[in-house]
Protein backbone atom coordinates (compact mmCIF):
# COMPACT_ATOMS: atom_id res chain seq x y z
CA UNK A 1 0.00 0.00 0.00
CA UNK A 2 1.13 3.51 -0.67
CA UNK A 3 0.71 6.54 1.59
CA UNK A 4 -2.42 7.81 -0.20
CA UNK A 5 -4.21 4.47 0.11
CA UNK A 6 -3.37 4.20 3.79
CA UNK A 7 -4.46 7.78 4.51
CA UNK A 8 -7.74 7.22 2.68
CA UNK A 9 -8.52 4.23 4.91
CA UNK A 10 -7.73 6.02 8.19
CA UNK A 11 -10.57 7.75 9.99
CA UNK A 12 -10.36 9.78 13.20
CA UNK A 13 -11.96 6.81 15.01
CA UNK A 14 -9.33 4.36 13.73
CA UNK A 15 -6.53 6.76 14.64
CA UNK A 16 -7.98 7.10 18.17
CA UNK A 17 -8.02 3.29 18.49
CA UNK A 18 -4.40 3.17 17.34
CA UNK A 19 -3.45 5.82 19.92
CA UNK A 20 -5.17 3.88 22.69
CA UNK A 21 -3.54 0.62 21.59
CA UNK A 22 -0.12 2.29 21.58
CA UNK A 23 -0.71 3.78 25.03
CA UNK A 24 -2.03 0.56 26.64
CA UNK A 25 0.08 -1.89 24.65
CA UNK A 26 -2.97 -3.91 23.69
CA UNK A 27 -5.94 -3.88 21.35
CA UNK A 28 -9.47 -3.07 22.58
CA UNK A 29 -10.20 -6.82 22.78
CA UNK A 30 -7.24 -7.34 25.15
CA UNK A 31 -4.76 -8.92 22.72
CA UNK A 32 -1.21 -7.64 23.21
CA UNK A 33 0.34 -5.44 20.50
CA UNK A 34 3.47 -6.85 18.91
CA UNK A 35 6.47 -4.56 18.47
CA UNK A 36 5.78 -4.46 14.74
CA UNK A 37 2.11 -3.56 15.26
CA UNK A 38 3.06 -0.80 17.70
CA UNK A 39 5.56 0.67 15.23
CA UNK A 40 3.05 0.49 12.37
CA UNK A 41 0.34 2.16 14.48
CA UNK A 42 2.72 4.94 15.52
CA UNK A 43 3.70 5.60 11.92
CA UNK A 44 0.06 5.65 10.80
CA UNK A 45 -0.89 8.07 13.59
CA UNK A 46 2.01 10.40 12.78
CA UNK A 47 1.26 10.44 9.04
CA UNK A 48 -2.46 11.00 9.63
CA UNK A 49 -1.82 13.80 12.14
CA UNK A 50 0.63 15.49 9.77
CA UNK A 51 -1.99 15.51 7.02
CA UNK A 52 -5.01 16.48 9.14
CA UNK A 53 -3.94 18.42 12.26
CA UNK A 54 -2.15 21.70 12.83
CA UNK A 55 1.29 21.30 14.46
CA UNK A 56 0.07 22.32 17.93
CA UNK A 57 -2.44 19.43 17.98
CA UNK A 58 -0.06 16.68 16.86
CA UNK A 59 1.34 14.02 19.17
CA UNK A 60 4.64 15.13 20.62
CA UNK A 61 4.14 18.85 19.98
CA UNK A 62 6.31 20.98 22.23
CA UNK A 63 5.23 24.57 22.75
CA UNK A 64 8.09 27.00 22.20
CA UNK A 65 8.33 29.77 24.77
CA UNK A 66 8.32 33.43 23.72
CA UNK A 67 11.17 35.69 24.82
CA UNK A 68 10.59 39.13 26.36
CA UNK A 69 11.39 40.73 22.99
CA UNK A 70 8.56 38.74 21.36
CA UNK A 71 10.77 36.31 19.44
CA UNK A 72 10.14 32.58 19.71
CA UNK A 73 12.80 30.39 21.28
CA UNK A 74 14.01 27.87 18.68
CA UNK A 75 12.32 29.58 15.72
CA UNK A 76 15.49 29.07 13.67
CA UNK A 77 14.68 25.34 13.51
CA UNK A 78 11.25 25.92 11.97
CA UNK A 79 12.81 25.42 8.52
CA UNK A 80 11.32 22.29 6.95
CA UNK A 81 14.28 19.93 6.86
CA UNK A 82 14.33 17.01 4.46
CA UNK A 83 13.98 14.46 7.28
CA UNK A 84 10.57 15.94 8.14
CA UNK A 85 9.25 14.79 4.79
CA UNK A 86 10.98 11.51 3.86
CA UNK A 87 8.52 10.76 1.02
CA UNK A 88 9.16 14.00 -0.84
CA UNK A 89 12.27 14.40 -3.03
CA UNK A 90 13.02 17.98 -1.94
CA UNK A 91 10.34 19.88 -0.02
CA UNK A 92 10.30 23.64 -0.40
CA UNK A 93 13.05 25.15 1.73
CA UNK A 94 14.49 21.78 2.76
CA UNK A 95 18.06 21.78 3.91
CA UNK A 96 19.89 19.02 2.08
CA UNK A 97 22.06 16.75 4.21
CA UNK A 98 25.79 16.65 3.61
CA UNK A 99 26.87 13.28 2.25
CA UNK A 100 30.27 11.95 3.16
CA UNK A 101 32.19 9.26 1.34
CA UNK A 102 33.38 6.34 3.41
CA UNK A 103 37.15 6.24 3.65
CA UNK A 104 38.57 2.74 3.25
Amino acid sequence: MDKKTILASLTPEVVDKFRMAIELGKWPDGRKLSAEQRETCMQAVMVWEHEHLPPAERTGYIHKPVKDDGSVVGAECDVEHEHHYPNMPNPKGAVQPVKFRNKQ
Side-chain angles (χ1 to χ4, degrees):
M1 273 192 206
D2 65 345
K3 180 181 167 185
K4 289 180 184 179
T5 306
I6 293 169
L7 276 173
S9 67
L10 292 176
T11 65
E13 294 79 21
V14 170
V15 172
D16 285 341
K17 286 182 181 182
F18 284 178
R19 284 189 194 111
M20 184 65 70
I22 294 164
E23 184 178 337
L24 299 177
K26 59 184 177 180
W27 295 107
D29 66 3
R31 289 179 295 133
K32 184 177 178 182
L33 243 69
S34 69
E36 184 179 352
Q37 289 172 329
R38 182 182 172 106
E39 184 175 330
T40 301
C41 287
M42 285 192 286
Q43 290 175 358
V45 168
M46 290 188 303
V47 169
W48 185 89
E49 287 179 349
H50 189 273
E51 296 292 326
H52 294 90
L53 298 177
E57 293 179 25
R58 296 177 193 157
T59 301
Y61 174 77
I62 299 173
H63 173 73
K64 294 179 183 175
V66 178
K67 297 179 186 177
D68 292 336
D69 66 2
S71 62
V72 176
V73 175
E76 63 277 359
C77 193
D78 286 341
V79 174
E80 297 295 350
H81 299 285
E82 184 178 53
H83 64 267
H84 294 166
Y85 300 96
N87 295 326
M88 294 178 65
N90 184 17
K92 183 178 177 183
V95 176
Q96 297 300 312
V98 176
K99 295 183 181 178
F100 297 96
R101 284 187 262 171
N102 291 335
K103 294 181 181 180
Q104 296 183 11

